[in-house]
Coordinates of all heavy atoms in Angstrom, one line a residue:
M1 N 25.1 237.1 21.4 CA 25.7 235.9 21.9 C 26.1 236.1 23.4 O 26.7 237.0 23.7 CB 26.8 235.4 21.0 CG 27.5 234.1 21.5 SD 28.6 233.4 20.1 CE 30.1 233.9 20.8
T2 N 25.9 235.0 24.3 CA 26.3 235.2 25.6 C 27.7 234.9 25.8 O 28.2 234.0 25.1 CB 25.4 234.4 26.5 OG1 25.6 232.9 26.1 CG2 24.0 234.8 26.5
E3 N 28.3 235.5 26.7 CA 29.8 235.2 26.9 C 29.9 233.7 27.6 O 29.1 233.3 28.3 CB 30.3 236.2 27.8 CG 30.6 237.6 27.2 CD 31.3 238.6 28.0 OE1 32.5 238.3 28.2 OE2 30.7 239.5 28.6
K4 N 31.1 233.1 27.5 CA 31.3 231.9 28.0 C 31.7 232.0 29.5 O 32.5 233.1 29.8 CB 32.5 231.0 27.2 CG 31.8 230.7 25.8 CD 33.0 230.1 25.1 CE 32.6 229.7 23.7 NZ 33.6 229.0 22.9
K5 N 31.4 231.2 30.3 CA 32.0 231.2 31.7 C 33.4 231.0 31.7 O 34.1 230.5 30.7 CB 31.3 230.0 32.5 CG 29.8 230.3 32.8 CD 29.2 229.3 33.6 CE 27.8 229.6 34.0 NZ 26.8 229.1 33.0
V6 N 34.1 231.5 32.7 CA 35.5 231.5 32.8 C 35.9 230.8 34.1 O 35.5 231.0 35.1 CB 36.2 232.9 32.8 CG1 37.7 232.9 33.0 CG2 35.8 233.6 31.5
I7 N 36.9 229.8 34.0 CA 37.5 229.2 35.1 C 38.9 229.6 35.1 O 39.7 229.4 34.1 CB 37.3 227.6 35.1 CG1 35.8 227.3 35.2 CG2 38.2 227.0 36.3 CD1 35.7 225.8 34.9
V8 N 39.4 230.1 36.3 CA 40.8 230.3 36.5 C 41.2 229.3 37.8 O 40.7 229.3 38.7 CB 41.1 231.8 37.1 CG1 42.5 232.1 37.4 CG2 40.6 232.7 36.0
A9 N 42.3 228.5 37.4 CA 42.8 227.5 38.3 C 44.3 227.6 38.4 O 44.9 227.9 37.4 CB 42.3 226.2 38.0
G10 N 44.8 227.4 39.6 CA 46.2 227.4 39.8 C 46.6 227.1 41.2 O 45.8 226.6 42.0
W11 N 47.9 227.3 41.5 CA 48.4 227.0 42.8 C 49.7 227.8 43.1 O 50.3 228.4 42.0 CB 48.7 225.6 43.0 CG 49.5 224.9 41.9 CD1 48.9 224.1 40.9 CD2 50.9 224.9 41.7 NE1 50.0 223.7 40.1 CE2 51.2 224.0 40.6 CE3 52.0 225.3 42.4 CZ2 52.3 223.9 40.0 CZ3 53.2 225.2 41.9 CH2 53.4 224.4 40.7
C12 N 50.1 228.0 44.3 CA 51.4 228.6 44.6 C 52.1 227.7 45.6 O 51.5 227.1 46.5 CB 51.2 230.1 45.0 SG 50.2 230.4 46.6
I13 N 53.3 228.0 45.6 CA 54.3 227.2 46.5 C 54.9 228.2 47.5 O 55.4 229.3 47.0 CB 55.4 226.4 45.9 CG1 54.8 225.4 45.0 CG2 56.4 225.9 46.9 CD1 54.0 224.3 45.7
V14 N 54.8 228.0 48.7 CA 55.3 229.0 49.8 C 56.0 228.3 50.8 O 55.9 226.9 50.9 CB 54.1 229.8 50.4 CG1 53.4 230.6 49.4 CG2 53.2 229.0 51.1
D15 N 56.7 228.8 51.7 CA 57.3 228.2 53.0 C 56.2 227.4 53.6 O 55.2 228.0 54.0 CB 57.8 229.3 53.9 CG 58.4 228.8 55.1 OD1 58.1 227.6 55.6 OD2 59.3 229.5 55.7
P16 N 56.3 226.1 53.9 CA 55.2 225.4 54.5 C 54.8 226.0 56.0 O 53.7 225.8 56.2 CB 55.9 224.0 54.7 CG 57.0 223.9 53.9 CD 57.5 225.3 53.5
K17 N 55.7 226.6 56.7 CA 55.5 227.2 57.9 C 54.4 228.5 57.7 O 53.8 228.8 58.5 CB 56.8 227.6 58.6 CG 57.6 226.4 59.0 CD 58.9 226.9 59.6 CE 59.8 225.8 59.7 NZ 61.2 226.2 59.8
K18 N 54.4 228.9 56.5 CA 53.6 230.1 56.3 C 52.3 229.8 55.5 O 51.6 230.7 55.2 CB 54.4 231.2 55.5 CG 55.6 231.8 56.3 CD 55.1 232.8 57.3 CE 56.3 233.6 58.0 NZ 55.7 234.7 58.8
R19 N 52.1 228.7 55.0 CA 51.1 228.3 54.0 C 49.7 228.7 54.6 O 48.9 229.5 54.0 CB 51.1 226.9 53.6 CG 50.3 226.4 52.5 CD 49.0 225.8 52.7 NE 48.8 225.0 53.8 CZ 48.7 223.7 53.8 NH1 49.0 223.1 52.6 NH2 48.6 223.0 54.8
D20 N 49.4 228.3 55.8 CA 48.2 228.6 56.3 C 47.9 230.0 56.5 O 46.8 230.6 56.3 CB 47.9 227.9 57.8 CG 47.9 226.3 57.5 OD1 47.6 225.8 56.4 OD2 48.1 225.5 58.4
E21 N 49.1 230.8 56.9 CA 48.9 232.3 57.0 C 48.6 232.9 55.7 O 47.8 233.8 55.6 CB 50.2 232.8 57.7 CG 50.1 234.2 58.0 CD 51.4 234.8 58.7 OE1 52.3 233.9 59.1 OE2 51.5 236.0 58.9
V22 N 49.1 232.4 54.7 CA 49.0 232.9 53.2 C 47.4 232.7 52.9 O 46.7 233.5 52.4 CB 49.8 232.2 52.3 CG1 49.4 232.5 50.8 CG2 51.3 232.6 52.5
V23 N 46.9 231.5 53.2 CA 45.5 231.2 52.9 C 44.6 232.1 53.6 O 43.7 232.7 53.1 CB 45.2 229.6 53.2 CG1 43.8 229.4 53.1 CG2 46.1 228.7 52.2
E24 N 44.8 232.2 55.0 CA 44.0 233.1 55.7 C 44.2 234.5 55.2 O 43.1 235.2 55.3 CB 44.6 233.1 57.2 CG 43.8 234.0 58.2 CD 42.3 233.5 58.4 OE1 42.0 232.4 58.2 OE2 41.6 234.4 58.7
S25 N 45.2 235.0 54.7 CA 45.4 236.4 54.2 C 44.5 236.6 53.0 O 44.2 237.9 52.7 CB 46.8 236.8 53.9 OG 47.2 236.1 52.6
F26 N 44.0 235.6 52.4 CA 43.2 235.8 51.2 C 41.6 235.8 51.7 O 40.7 236.0 50.8 CB 43.3 234.7 50.2 CG 44.4 235.0 49.3 CD1 45.8 234.7 49.7 CD2 44.3 235.5 48.0 CE1 46.8 235.0 48.9 CE2 45.3 235.9 47.3 CZ 46.6 235.5 47.7
K27 N 41.3 235.6 53.0 CA 39.9 235.5 53.4 C 39.1 236.7 53.0 O 38.0 236.5 52.5 CB 39.9 235.3 54.8 CG 38.4 235.0 55.5 CD 38.5 234.8 57.0 CE 37.2 234.6 57.5 NZ 37.1 234.3 58.8
D28 N 39.6 237.9 53.2 CA 38.8 239.1 52.7 C 38.5 239.3 51.3 O 37.5 239.5 50.8 CB 39.5 240.3 53.3 CG 38.7 241.6 52.9 OD1 37.6 241.9 53.4 OD2 39.4 242.4 52.1
L29 N 39.7 238.8 50.5 CA 39.4 238.9 49.1 C 38.5 237.9 48.7 O 37.6 238.2 47.7 CB 40.9 238.7 48.5 CG 40.8 238.6 46.9 CD1 42.1 239.5 46.4 CD2 40.8 237.3 46.4
V30 N 38.4 236.7 49.3 CA 37.5 235.6 48.8 C 36.1 236.0 49.2 O 35.1 236.0 48.3 CB 37.8 234.4 49.6 CG1 36.7 233.2 49.3 CG2 39.1 233.6 49.1
L31 N 35.9 236.6 50.3 CA 34.6 237.1 50.6 C 34.1 238.3 49.7 O 33.0 238.2 49.4 CB 34.5 237.6 52.1 CG 34.7 236.5 53.2 CD1 35.0 237.2 54.7 CD2 33.5 235.5 53.2
R32 N 34.9 239.1 49.4 CA 34.6 240.3 48.5 C 34.2 239.7 47.1 O 33.3 240.1 46.5 CB 35.6 241.3 48.5 CG 35.7 242.2 49.7 CD 36.8 243.3 49.7 NE 38.0 242.8 49.6 CZ 38.9 242.8 48.5 NH1 38.6 243.4 47.5 NH2 40.1 242.5 48.6
A33 N 35.0 238.9 46.6 CA 34.9 238.4 45.4 C 33.5 237.6 45.3 O 32.8 237.7 44.2 CB 36.0 237.4 44.9
R34 N 33.3 236.8 46.1 CA 32.0 236.0 46.1 C 30.8 236.9 46.1 O 29.7 236.5 45.7 CB 31.9 235.0 47.3 CG 32.9 233.9 47.3 CD 32.8 232.9 48.3 NE 33.8 231.7 48.1 CZ 34.0 230.8 49.1 NH1 33.2 231.0 50.2 NH2 34.8 229.9 48.9
R35 N 30.9 238.1 46.6 CA 29.8 239.1 46.5 C 29.8 239.9 45.3 O 28.9 240.7 44.9 CB 30.0 240.1 47.7 CG 29.6 239.4 49.0 CD 29.4 240.4 50.1 NE 30.6 241.3 50.3 CZ 31.5 241.0 51.2 NH1 31.5 239.9 52.1 NH2 32.5 241.9 51.4
A36 N 30.9 239.8 44.5 CA 31.1 240.5 43.2 C 30.1 240.1 42.1 O 29.9 238.9 42.1 CB 32.5 240.6 42.8
P37 N 29.7 241.1 41.3 CA 28.8 240.6 40.2 C 29.5 239.6 39.4 O 30.7 239.9 39.1 CB 28.6 241.9 39.5 CG 28.8 243.0 40.4 CD 29.9 242.5 41.4
G38 N 28.8 238.5 38.9 CA 29.4 237.6 38.1 C 30.3 236.5 38.7 O 30.8 235.5 38.0
C39 N 30.5 236.6 40.0 CA 31.5 235.5 40.7 C 30.6 234.4 41.0 O 29.6 234.6 41.9 CB 32.1 236.2 41.9 SG 33.2 234.8 42.6
L40 N 30.8 233.2 40.4 CA 30.0 232.1 40.8 C 30.7 231.4 41.9 O 30.1 230.6 42.7 CB 29.9 231.1 39.6 CG 29.2 231.9 38.3 CD1 29.4 230.9 37.1 CD2 27.7 232.2 38.6
D41 N 32.1 231.5 42.0 CA 32.8 230.9 43.2 C 34.2 231.3 43.1 O 34.8 231.7 41.9 CB 32.9 229.3 43.1 CG 33.2 228.6 44.3 OD1 33.2 229.3 45.4 OD2 33.6 227.4 44.3
L42 N 34.9 231.4 44.3 CA 36.3 231.7 44.4 C 36.8 231.1 45.6 O 36.1 231.1 46.6 CB 36.5 233.1 44.3 CG 38.0 233.6 44.2 CD1 38.2 234.8 43.4 CD2 38.7 233.9 45.5
A43 N 38.0 230.4 45.6 CA 38.6 229.8 46.8 C 40.0 229.8 46.8 O 40.6 229.6 45.7 CB 38.0 228.3 46.8
M44 N 40.7 230.0 47.9 CA 42.0 229.9 48.0 C 42.1 229.0 49.2 O 41.7 229.2 50.3 CB 42.7 231.3 48.4 CG 44.2 231.1 48.8 SD 45.3 230.5 47.5 CE 45.8 231.9 46.8
T45 N 42.7 227.7 49.0 CA 42.7 226.6 49.9 C 44.0 226.0 50.1 O 44.9 226.0 49.3 CB 41.7 225.7 49.6 OG1 42.0 225.0 48.4 CG2 40.2 226.1 49.4
A46 N 44.1 225.4 51.3 CA 45.4 224.7 51.7 C 45.3 223.3 51.0 O 44.3 222.7 51.0 CB 45.5 224.6 53.1
D47 N 46.4 223.0 50.4 CA 46.5 221.6 49.7 C 46.5 220.6 50.8 O 47.3 220.7 51.7 CB 47.7 221.6 48.8 CG 47.6 220.4 47.9 OD1 48.2 219.3 48.3 OD2 47.1 220.5 46.8
P48 N 45.6 219.5 50.6 CA 45.6 218.4 51.7 C 46.8 217.6 51.6 O 47.0 216.7 52.6 CB 44.3 217.7 51.4 CG 44.2 218.0 49.9 CD 44.7 219.3 49.6
V49 N 47.5 217.6 50.6 CA 48.7 216.7 50.5 C 50.1 217.3 50.6 O 51.0 216.8 51.2 CB 48.7 215.9 49.1 CG1 49.9 215.0 49.0 CG2 47.4 215.3 49.0
D50 N 50.2 218.6 50.1 CA 51.5 219.3 50.0 C 51.5 220.4 51.0 O 50.7 221.4 50.7 CB 51.8 219.8 48.5 CG 53.0 220.4 48.5 OD1 53.8 220.8 49.4 OD2 53.6 220.6 47.3
P51 N 52.2 220.4 52.1 CA 52.2 221.5 53.1 C 52.7 222.8 52.5 O 52.5 223.9 53.2 CB 53.0 221.0 54.3 CG 53.9 220.0 53.6 CD 53.2 219.5 52.5
S52 N 53.3 222.9 51.4 CA 53.8 224.1 50.9 C 52.9 224.7 49.8 O 53.3 225.8 49.3 CB 55.2 223.9 50.4 OG 55.2 223.0 49.3
R53 N 51.8 224.1 49.6 CA 51.0 224.5 48.4 C 49.7 225.0 48.8 O 48.9 224.5 49.7 CB 50.8 223.3 47.5 CG 50.0 223.6 46.2 CD 50.0 222.3 45.4 NE 48.8 222.3 44.5 CZ 48.8 221.7 43.4 NH1 49.9 221.0 43.0 NH2 47.7 221.7 42.7
A54 N 49.2 226.1 48.1 CA 47.9 226.7 48.4 C 47.3 226.7 46.9 O 47.9 227.0 45.9 CB 47.9 228.2 48.8
N55 N 46.0 226.3 46.8 CA 45.3 226.2 45.6 C 44.2 227.4 45.3 O 43.6 227.7 46.3 CB 44.5 224.9 45.6 CG 45.4 223.6 45.6 OD1 46.5 223.4 45.0 ND2 45.2 222.7 46.6
L56 N 44.3 227.8 44.1 CA 43.4 228.8 43.7 C 42.4 228.3 42.7 O 42.7 227.6 41.8 CB 44.2 229.9 43.0 CG 43.3 231.1 42.4 CD1 42.6 231.9 43.4 CD2 44.1 232.0 41.5
F57 N 41.1 228.6 42.9 CA 39.9 228.4 42.0 C 39.0 229.6 41.9 O 38.7 230.0 43.0 CB 39.3 227.1 42.4 CG 38.1 226.8 41.6 CD1 38.3 226.1 40.5 CD2 36.8 227.2 41.9 CE1 37.1 225.8 39.6 CE2 35.8 226.9 41.1 CZ 35.9 226.2 39.9
E58 N 38.9 230.0 40.7 CA 37.8 230.9 40.4 C 36.9 230.5 39.3 O 37.3 230.0 38.4 CB 38.6 232.2 39.9 CG 39.5 232.8 40.8 CD 40.0 234.1 40.4 OE1 39.3 235.1 39.9 OE2 41.3 234.2 40.5
F59 N 35.6 231.0 39.4 CA 34.6 230.5 38.4 C 33.7 231.7 38.3 O 33.1 232.3 39.2 CB 33.8 229.4 38.9 CG 32.7 228.7 37.9 CD1 33.0 228.8 36.7 CD2 31.5 228.1 38.5 CE1 32.0 228.3 35.8 CE2 30.7 227.5 37.6 CZ 30.9 227.6 36.3
W60 N 33.8 232.3 37.0 CA 33.2 233.6 36.7 C 32.1 233.4 35.6 O 32.4 232.6 34.7 CB 34.2 234.6 36.3 CG 35.1 235.0 37.3 CD1 36.3 234.5 37.8 CD2 34.8 236.0 38.3 NE1 36.7 234.9 38.8 CE2 35.9 236.0 39.2 CE3 33.8 236.9 38.6 CZ2 35.9 236.8 40.4 CZ3 33.9 237.8 39.6 CH2 35.0 237.8 40.6
R61 N 31.1 234.2 35.7 CA 29.9 234.1 34.7 C 30.5 234.5 33.4 O 30.0 233.9 32.3 CB 28.8 235.0 35.2 CG 27.6 235.0 34.3 CD 26.5 235.9 34.8 NE 27.0 237.2 35.0 CZ 26.6 238.1 36.0 NH1 25.5 237.7 36.7 NH2 27.0 239.3 36.1
S62 N 31.4 235.5 33.3 CA 31.9 235.9 31.9 C 33.2 236.4 32.2 O 33.7 236.8 33.3 CB 30.9 237.0 31.4 OG 31.0 238.2 32.2
E63 N 34.0 236.7 31.0 CA 35.3 237.3 31.0 C 35.1 238.8 31.4 O 36.0 239.3 32.2 CB 35.9 237.2 29.7 CG 37.3 237.6 29.7 CD 38.1 237.4 28.4 OE1 37.7 236.5 27.6 OE2 39.3 237.8 28.3
S64 N 34.1 239.4 31.1 CA 33.9 240.8 31.4 C 33.8 241.0 32.9 O 34.2 241.9 33.5 CB 32.7 241.4 30.6 OG 31.5 240.8 30.8
D65 N 33.0 240.0 33.5 CA 32.9 240.0 34.9 C 34.3 239.9 35.6 O 34.6 240.5 36.7 CB 32.0 239.0 35.5 CG 30.6 239.3 35.2 OD1 30.0 240.5 35.2 OD2 29.8 238.4 34.8
L66 N 35.0 238.9 35.2 CA 36.4 238.7 35.7 C 37.2 240.0 35.5 O 37.9 240.4 36.5 CB 37.0 237.5 35.0 CG 38.5 237.3 35.4 CD1 38.7 237.1 36.8 CD2 39.0 236.1 34.5
K67 N 37.2 240.6 34.3 CA 38.0 241.8 34.1 C 37.6 242.9 35.1 O 38.5 243.6 35.6 CB 37.9 242.2 32.7 CG 38.7 241.4 31.7 CD 38.6 241.9 30.3 CE 39.3 240.9 29.3 NZ 39.2 241.5 27.9
A68 N 36.4 243.1 35.4 CA 35.8 244.1 36.3 C 36.4 243.8 37.6 O 36.7 244.7 38.2 CB 34.3 244.1 36.2
W69 N 36.3 242.6 38.0 CA 36.8 242.2 39.3 C 38.3 242.5 39.4 O 38.7 243.1 40.5 CB 36.5 240.7 39.7 CG 37.3 240.3 40.9 CD1 38.4 239.3 40.9 CD2 37.2 240.6 42.2 NE1 38.9 239.1 42.2 CE2 38.2 239.9 42.9 CE3 36.4 241.6 42.9 CZ2 38.2 240.1 44.5 CZ3 36.5 241.7 44.2 CH2 37.4 241.0 44.9
R70 N 39.1 242.1 38.5 CA 40.5 242.3 38.6 C 40.8 243.9 38.5 O 41.7 244.2 39.3 CB 41.2 241.8 37.3 CG 41.1 240.3 37.1 CD 42.2 239.6 37.9 NE 42.4 238.3 37.7 CZ 41.9 237.4 38.4 NH1 41.2 237.6 39.6 NH2 42.0 236.0 38.1
A71 N 40.0 244.6 38.0 CA 40.2 246.2 38.1 C 40.0 246.7 39.4 O 40.5 247.8 39.8 CB 39.4 246.9 37.0
A72 N 39.0 246.0 40.1 CA 38.6 246.6 41.5 C 39.2 245.9 42.7 O 39.1 246.3 43.8 CB 37.1 246.6 41.5
S73 N 39.8 244.6 42.5 CA 40.2 243.8 43.5 C 41.5 244.4 44.1 O 42.2 245.0 43.3 CB 40.3 242.4 43.1 OG 41.5 242.3 42.2
H74 N 41.8 244.2 45.3 CA 43.1 244.6 45.9 C 43.6 243.4 46.7 O 43.0 242.7 47.6 CB 42.9 245.6 47.1 CG 42.2 246.8 46.3 ND1 43.0 247.7 45.5 CD2 41.0 247.4 46.4 CE1 42.2 248.7 45.1 NE2 41.1 248.5 45.6
H75 N 44.7 242.7 46.1 CA 45.2 241.6 46.7 C 45.8 241.9 48.2 O 46.2 243.0 48.4 CB 46.3 241.0 45.9 CG 45.8 240.3 44.6 ND1 45.3 239.1 44.6 CD2 45.7 240.9 43.3 CE1 44.9 238.8 43.3 NE2 45.1 239.9 42.6
P76 N 45.8 240.9 49.0 CA 46.4 241.0 50.4 C 47.9 241.3 50.3 O 48.5 241.0 49.4 CB 46.0 239.8 51.1 CG 45.9 238.7 50.0 CD 45.4 239.4 48.8
K77 N 48.3 241.9 51.5 CA 49.7 242.2 51.6 C 50.5 240.8 51.6 O 49.9 239.9 52.1 CB 50.0 243.0 53.0 CG 49.7 244.4 52.9 CD 50.1 245.0 54.2 CE 49.7 246.5 54.2 NZ 50.2 247.0 55.5
A78 N 51.6 240.8 51.1 CA 52.4 239.6 51.0 C 52.7 239.2 52.4 O 53.3 239.9 53.2 CB 53.7 239.8 50.2
V79 N 52.5 237.9 52.7 CA 52.7 237.3 54.1 C 54.2 236.6 54.0 O 54.9 236.8 54.9 CB 51.8 236.3 54.4 CG1 52.1 235.4 55.6 CG2 50.4 236.8 54.6
T80 N 54.5 236.2 52.9 CA 55.8 235.6 52.6 C 56.0 235.5 51.1 O 55.0 235.8 50.3 CB 55.8 234.1 53.2 OG1 57.2 233.7 53.1 CG2 54.8 233.2 52.5
R81 N 57.2 235.3 50.7 CA 57.5 235.2 49.3 C 56.8 233.9 48.7 O 56.9 232.9 49.3 CB 59.1 235.2 49.1 CG 59.5 235.4 47.7 CD 61.0 235.5 47.8 NE 61.7 234.3 48.0 CZ 62.3 233.6 46.9 NH1 62.5 234.2 45.9 NH2 62.9 232.4 47.2
L82 N 56.3 234.2 47.5 CA 55.7 233.1 46.7 C 57.0 232.4 46.0 O 57.6 233.2 45.1 CB 54.7 233.5 45.8 CG 53.4 234.2 46.3 CD1 52.5 234.7 45.2 CD2 52.8 233.4 47.4
L83 N 57.2 231.2 46.2 CA 58.3 230.4 45.7 C 58.1 230.1 44.3 O 59.0 230.0 43.4 CB 58.7 229.3 46.6 CG 59.0 229.6 48.0 CD1 59.3 228.3 48.8 CD2 60.2 230.7 48.1
R84 N 56.8 229.8 43.9 CA 56.5 229.4 42.6 C 54.9 229.6 42.4 O 54.1 229.4 43.3 CB 56.8 228.0 42.3 CG 56.5 227.5 40.9 CD 57.1 226.2 40.5 NE 56.7 225.7 39.3 CZ 56.7 224.5 38.7 NH1 57.1 223.5 39.6 NH2 56.3 224.2 37.6
V85 N 54.5 230.1 41.1 CA 53.1 230.2 41.0 C 52.8 229.8 39.6 O 53.4 229.9 38.7 CB 52.8 231.7 41.0 CG1 51.4 232.0 40.6 CG2 53.0 232.3 42.3
E86 N 51.7 228.9 39.5 CA 51.2 228.5 38.2 C 49.7 228.6 38.3 O 49.0 228.2 39.0 CB 51.5 226.9 38.1 CG 52.8 226.5 38.1 CD 53.5 226.7 36.7 OE1 52.7 226.9 35.8 OE2 54.7 226.9 36.7
V87 N 49.3 229.5 37.2 CA 47.9 229.9 37.2 C 47.5 229.9 35.6 O 48.2 230.2 34.9 CB 47.6 231.3 37.7 CG1 46.0 231.6 37.4 CG2 47.8 231.3 39.2

């Protein structure tokens, strides 16, 4: 049986003055993830309505691909404190 595709979605709230810097800090991670086996899409984007919110979207071919990525990925250094995270 083939594994089901996996979607990870969520958002974080940060200081609005730092939001764009937070999104930019994920650029390398996004580029690496998109080249990773099983990654169908990954994005960290600025919310168009809320200046303090950054949105996360991940789409993986399988849970095993996602787990492999999680084991090998390195998150960017913290630019600012995340005030709230929902994933």
Side-chain angles (χ1 to χ4, degrees):
M1 184 165 102
T2 59
E3 291 187 71
K4 295 180 181 179
K5 291 184 173 87
V6 177
I7 294 173
V8 178
W11 47 265
C12 65
I13 300 295
V14 297
D15 177 342
K17 295 175 190 156
K18 294 280 189 174
R19 195 264 320 262
D20 291 343
E21 192 176 349
V22 168
V23 171
E24 179 66 24
S25 76
F26 277 85
K27 184 176 180 178
D28 178 64
L29 182 136
V30 170
L31 290 170
R32 288 185 292 112
R34 288 180 180 177
R35 291 189 303 262
C39 181
L40 302 172
D41 194 18
L42 191 141
M44 174 63 95
T45 60
D47 190 270
V49 177
D50 183 344
S52 66
R53 180 172 154 155
N55 298 311
L56 170 68
F57 175 82
E58 299 182 48
F59 188 27
W60 293 91
R61 183 178 53 210
S62 68
E63 188 171 347
S64 60
D65 288 324
L66 173 59
K67 286 181 179 179
W69 165 250
R70 293 277 187 262
S73 67
H74 302 286
H75 288 279
K77 286 185 179 180
V79 171
T80 188
R81 191 171 75 112
L82 302 179
L83 303 175
R84 184 169 176 198
V85 177
E86 292 287 337
V87 178

